[in-house]
Amino acid sequence: MSEKSSSSGSDEDVEPESRQPVEFGGVLSKWTNYIHGWQDRWVVLKNNTLSYYKSEDEREYGCRGSLCLSKAVITPHEFDECRFDISVNDSVWYLRAEDPEHRLQWIESIEMHKAGYGSETSLRHHGSMLSLTSAASVLSATSTSSFKKGHRLCEKLAEMETFRDILCRQVDTLQRYFDSCADAVSKDVFQRDKVEDDEDEFPTNTRPDGECNHNNNSSKEKLFPPSSPKGINGIDFKGEAITFKATTAGILSTLSHCIELMVKREDSWQKKLDKELEKRRRVEDAYKCAVNELKTKSHYGGPDYEEGPNSLINEEEFFDAVEAELDRQDKIEEQSQSEKVRISRPPSVTPGDVYSTISTHRLANKPHSHSSSLSSVELVSASEDLHRFSTEVEEMVQNHMTYSLQDVGGDANWQLVIEEGEMKVYRREVEENGIVLDPLKATHSVKGVTGHEVCHYFWDTDVRMDWETTIENFNVVETLSDNATIVYQTHKRVWPASQRDVLYLSAMRKIIATNENDPDTWLVCNFSVDHNDTPPTNRCVRAKINVAMICQTLVSPPEGDKEISRDNILCKITYVANVNPGGWAPASVLRAVAKREYPKFLKRFTSYVQEKTAGKTILF
């Protein structure tokens, strides 16, 4: 953990209670996605922001994500004492501490940061920054105010049309006024002319200046000066009115033309807007369809929607999701196999074949037998096969030879679930504490291969990845002897089920029948053990297994003096599996997966053995 405090300005300017909350950092497990699950990340709480890095050493490369805690909601998990969730709007981080005490410490630190940065003292501490920001905001608002009023161009055009109507009415009013003025001037001229005509008929005394005259009542009368038809001060009101109207009409015509141009521009903008709205509508529709599809298939990214005691996914959705994931993996495997076939080249067979050093078993000259029972069994154990697990191995072998080879056809407890040609798969339903422990037994007959060859390829870890498609990776933890190893392997995750791993001892044995009429038996047994170098982890659910591949070779005598060929041999296979998957997967899902996958595995493996042994020396 690291603690830091920072401030802007001198210490005298900052009160002690106004200091920022200290920086807080440490390792938390963060839920990444349904493929990688929980991953350790270096998480830092600083400046009201929660950031995470892949590790503490990679901080200099920048954070991988961050959340502002101002509006964050922290939710401790109801059942998991180490987990807490942080949500900001639609963004959710799922986090786990190493123990409840650390979870409480993180939650309190986050709440302290939220309270510290939301207080008045915090605002007062950052006063200068806020002032500058506010000033910049005002300047920006001033420069862009015309864009923030929300007026559309059509509204402005409507306003201009209104102003145009008003201006037209004003012009008409002015025209009427000018017409009235012109009529008044005309009447005044007419009256003046009439007065002059009367004076010509009845002359009066006038002064030289002609400014006024005296009537009989000695009253003084103002005389109109001579005037022209243009009116007062020589203005032609009617002409001026016509000119004003024509000028105004020109302005209005120009304005109308501008409006037309703006309307055309608006049409162009509207087309672009319509295109963008259409794109947005399509994206929204695609998003809704994707969300609905995810909800239908229950493909949720959070840890609450995967296998667990408090999973929010129901059994039907769990089954649909598992089936969809298995289909996807099968498709990927088919594409991979097709690519291998396309680029593969036939290998050259050298005289020193892997089987050439092994002598042919005495069964080659033994008459054909249809009996599969063993009256007595002899376990072949060389001195070099002795190791600390030898007793357990021999007990497992004896149990499988005693019980696994028993006929289940008439047993009502065993149900025939699959029958395809020579292959039959039986299952007996067993549950213990809600966990499915169904024993499974499969019988099969494969032509052209021996029991030794089948067990060799089933046991040999060098070729395991060639035929086993459910394994993600594996390694040999310890080699106990030439025919016994301890193997650790992780299986590919089938979401929403948790990933499984297995630690088991794998041993291969040859069992010689004392009755000459019975075939010898080859057996590979795999059963779970514990090893200090490979303890269980939180990333995988440790499954327990007890599996056996039991094979017997039946030889039909060739015609005449011909040598035995692969056309004369038949391998009878009995495969038994007792698996405790652990975890919380629904029973119906486990049974459906077993019914689907076990027959596929047996056909895939036996076909692989036939392909690898074709054209090679028979290994009895």
Side-chain angles (χ1 to χ4, degrees):
M1 304 286 182
S2 60
E3 297 185 359
K4 299 179 182 179
S5 61
S6 60
S7 61
S8 58
S10 62
D11 293 339
E12 292 81 0
D13 297 334
V14 183
E15 300 175 1
E17 63 271 15
S18 66
R19 293 184 181 273
Q20 303 178 30
V22 296
E23 178 181 343
F24 191 75
V27 176
L28 291 175
S29 294
K30 182 180 181 297
W31 176 262
T32 54
N33 52 52
Y34 74 86
I35 296 178
H36 301 290
W38 296 98
Q39 298 288 334
D40 290 341
R41 296 290 183 259
W42 181 261
V43 183
V44 175
L45 177 61
K46 181 180 180 181
N47 296 336
N48 201 32
T49 300
L50 192 67
S51 308
Y52 78 92
Y53 307 79
K54 186 174 182 180
S55 64
E56 184 178 8
D57 297 334
E58 295 188 9
R59 291 188 62 177
E60 59 183 10
Y61 300 112
C63 69
R64 293 196 166 194
S66 61
L67 284 177
C68 179
L69 300 176
S70 300
K71 297 183 180 180
V73 178
I74 298 91
T75 307
H77 197 266
E78 183 178 1
F79 304 104
D80 191 341
E81 295 182 350
C82 298
R83 174 180 155 189
F84 61 100
D85 304 340
I86 302 178
S87 58
V88 179
N89 298 327
D90 295 333
S91 179
V92 182
W93 284 12
Y94 306 99
L95 303 172
R96 292 187 83 254
E98 59 181 343
D99 51 49
E101 290 75 14
H102 280 85
R103 182 183 79 164
L104 179 61
Q105 187 178 9
W106 273 99
I107 293 176
E108 290 178 349
S109 299
I110 294 173
E111 294 291 355
M112 185 183 302
H113 268 252
K114 288 181 60 180
Y117 278 86
S119 62
E120 294 181 0
T121 56
S122 176
L123 293 177
R124 196 163 52 242
H125 177 72
H126 296 283
S128 59
M129 182 189 299
L130 294 175
S131 299
L132 292 175
T133 305
S134 302
S137 300
V138 171
L139 179 60
S140 176
T142 304
S143 62
T144 59
S145 60
S146 59
F147 299 101
K148 294 183 179 181
K149 291 182 179 179
H151 292 306
R152 297 178 56 194
L153 182 59
C154 60
E155 296 175 1
K156 288 296 183 181
L157 294 176
E159 291 178 4
M160 295 180 68
E161 290 289 346
T162 302
F163 291 144
R164 176 183 177 182
D165 294 340
I166 295 173
L167 183 58
C168 289
R169 289 196 297 270
Q170 289 177 342
V171 170
D172 292 338
T173 301
L174 287 173
Q175 184 64 47
R176 288 194 298 271
Y177 173 74
F178 292 148
D179 290 342
S180 299
C181 290
D183 293 340
V185 171
S186 298
K187 289 181 181 179
D188 185 56
V189 171
F190 176 76
Q191 291 293 338
R192 186 183 298 277
D193 292 341
K194 186 176 180 181
V195 170
E196 290 179 354
D197 291 341
D198 292 340
E199 288 180 353
D200 290 340
E201 293 178 1
F202 304 99
T204 58
N205 295 325
T206 61
R207 290 185 179 183
D209 55 6
E211 184 175 335
C212 62
N213 63 353
H214 296 276
N215 57 14
N216 293 333
N217 296 326
S218 300
S219 62
K220 201 169 185 179
E221 183 178 2
K222 180 73 175 178
L223 299 178
F224 288 103
S227 58
S228 64
K230 294 183 179 180
I232 302 174
N233 295 327
I235 299 176
D236 185 359
F237 289 102
K238 183 172 288 188
E240 291 295 333
I242 294 173
T243 303
F244 177 77
K245 186 173 183 178
T247 303
T248 306
I251 294 174
L252 294 176
S253 177
T254 304
L255 182 59
S256 298
H257 182 66
C258 294
I259 291 175
E260 291 177 1
L261 294 177
M262 295 173 70
V263 169
K264 292 180 180 179
R265 180 64 61 85
E266 185 188 26
D267 292 340
S268 175
W269 292 340
Q270 187 64 41
K271 290 179 180 179
K272 293 181 180 180
L273 178 61
D274 292 341
K275 289 182 180 179
E276 293 299 326
L277 291 176
E278 179 65 19
K279 290 181 181 178
R280 179 176 179 178
R281 185 189 64 80
R282 292 178 180 176
V283 172
E284 290 177 348
D285 291 343
Y287 171 76
K288 291 179 181 178
C289 292
V291 170
N292 292 334
E293 183 178 356
L294 290 175
K295 289 182 179 179
T296 302
K297 295 183 178 180
S298 299
H299 283 183
Y300 298 95
D304 295 323
Y305 289 90
E306 63 172 1
E307 177 187 352
N310 305 300
S311 177
L312 300 181
I313 187 172
N314 60 45
E315 188 169 327
E316 183 178 356
E317 293 172 337
F318 197 105
F319 176 79
D320 292 341
V322 167
E323 189 174 41
E325 179 65 14
L326 288 174
D327 290 340
R328 187 185 70 85
Q329 292 184 6
D330 288 346
K331 186 176 181 180
I332 294 174
E333 182 62 26
E334 289 177 3
Q335 294 175 350
S336 176
Q337 292 298 329
S338 299
E339 185 67 18
K340 288 181 180 178
V341 171
R342 186 180 66 84
I343 64 177
S344 63
R345 296 290 182 270
S348 58
V349 180
T350 60
D353 187 80
V354 65
Y355 302 133
S356 61
T357 59
I358 303 176
S359 60
T360 303
H361 189 262
R362 61 185 175 87
L363 273 178
N365 300 320
K366 185 183 295 185
H368 172 65
S369 174
H370 294 282
S371 174
S372 60
S373 62
L374 295 177
S375 58
S376 62
V377 176
E378 178 185 352
L379 301 181
V380 177
S381 300
S383 59
E384 61 268 15
D385 286 335
L386 296 177
H387 47 77
R388 67 180 185 279
F389 289 101
S390 296
T391 303
E392 290 88 339
V393 171
E394 303 311 326
E395 289 179 357
M396 286 291 178
V397 171
Q398 184 65 48
N399 289 335
H400 283 302
M401 292 302 300
T402 303
Y403 301 107
S404 299
L405 291 179
Q406 293 178 355
D407 187 14
V408 298
D411 193 340
N413 294 324
W414 289 93
Q415 303 174 7
L416 179 63
V417 293
I418 294 291
E419 183 174 6
E420 296 182 8
E422 295 292 332
M423 181 176 61
K424 295 180 181 179
V425 180
Y426 300 88
R427 180 181 65 203
R428 183 159 54 89
E429 293 189 359
V430 176
E431 288 191 25
E432 183 177 327
N433 298 326
I435 299 178
V436 175
L437 305 175
D438 294 354
L440 182 138
K441 179 181 290 188
T443 60
H444 195 22
S445 297
V446 184
K447 294 182 179 180
V449 296
T450 66
H452 191 180
E453 292 169 340
V454 172
C455 288
H456 167 77
Y457 282 105
F458 186 73
W459 177 84
D460 189 3
T461 56
D462 291 337
V463 297
R464 180 70 51 83
M465 298 300 289
D466 292 344
W467 57 267
E468 179 60 273
T469 61
T470 65
I471 294 178
E472 185 173 87
N473 53 66
F474 80 99
N475 64 287
V476 176
V477 178
E478 182 180 354
T479 300
L480 301 174
S481 67
D482 292 341
N483 293 322
T485 57
I486 296 179
V487 179
Y488 172 76
Q489 65 188 31
T490 57
H491 290 263
K492 295 178 182 177
R493 184 180 182 187
V494 182
W495 188 87
S498 300
Q499 189 172 19
R500 260 71 177 177
D501 63 355
V502 186
L503 178 66
Y504 62 93
L505 187 151
S506 181
M508 183 170 63
R509 287 289 183 270
K510 176 186 176 181
I511 303 168
I512 299 177
T514 57
N515 188 342
E516 64 179 8
N517 294 324
D518 294 332
D520 292 344
T521 302
W522 282 91
L523 178 145
V524 174
C525 62
N526 300 334
F527 60 93
S528 293
V529 294
D530 295 325
H531 199 282
N532 294 332
D533 293 342
T534 314
T537 65
N538 295 329
R539 301 186 184 279
C540 296
V541 176
R542 179 65 57 88
K544 301 294 184 180
I545 66 170
N546 185 3
V547 176
M549 177 75 74
I550 307 171
C551 302
Q552 295 175 335
T553 305
L554 303 181
V555 181
S556 60
E559 296 180 0
D561 297 333
K562 294 183 179 179
E563 294 184 356
I564 295 177
S565 67
R566 292 195 175 272
D567 294 333
N568 303 118
I569 58 177
L570 176 71
C571 181
K572 293 181 67 70
I573 299 175
T574 300
Y575 178 78
V576 292
N578 294 272
V579 179
N580 181 351
W584 300 269
S588 61
V589 176
L590 293 175
R591 291 190 172 108
V593 171
K595 182 178 179 181
R596 164 181 169 149
E597 294 300 314
Y598 275 115
K600 290 171 56 178
F601 144 73
L602 202 54
K603 287 190 294 185
R604 181 174 62 248
F605 171 68
T606 53
S607 298
Y608 170 80
V609 176
Q610 287 178 317
E611 177 186 347
K612 300 300 286 186
T613 57
K616 294 183 179 180
T617 304
I618 301 176
L619 176 66
F620 286 98

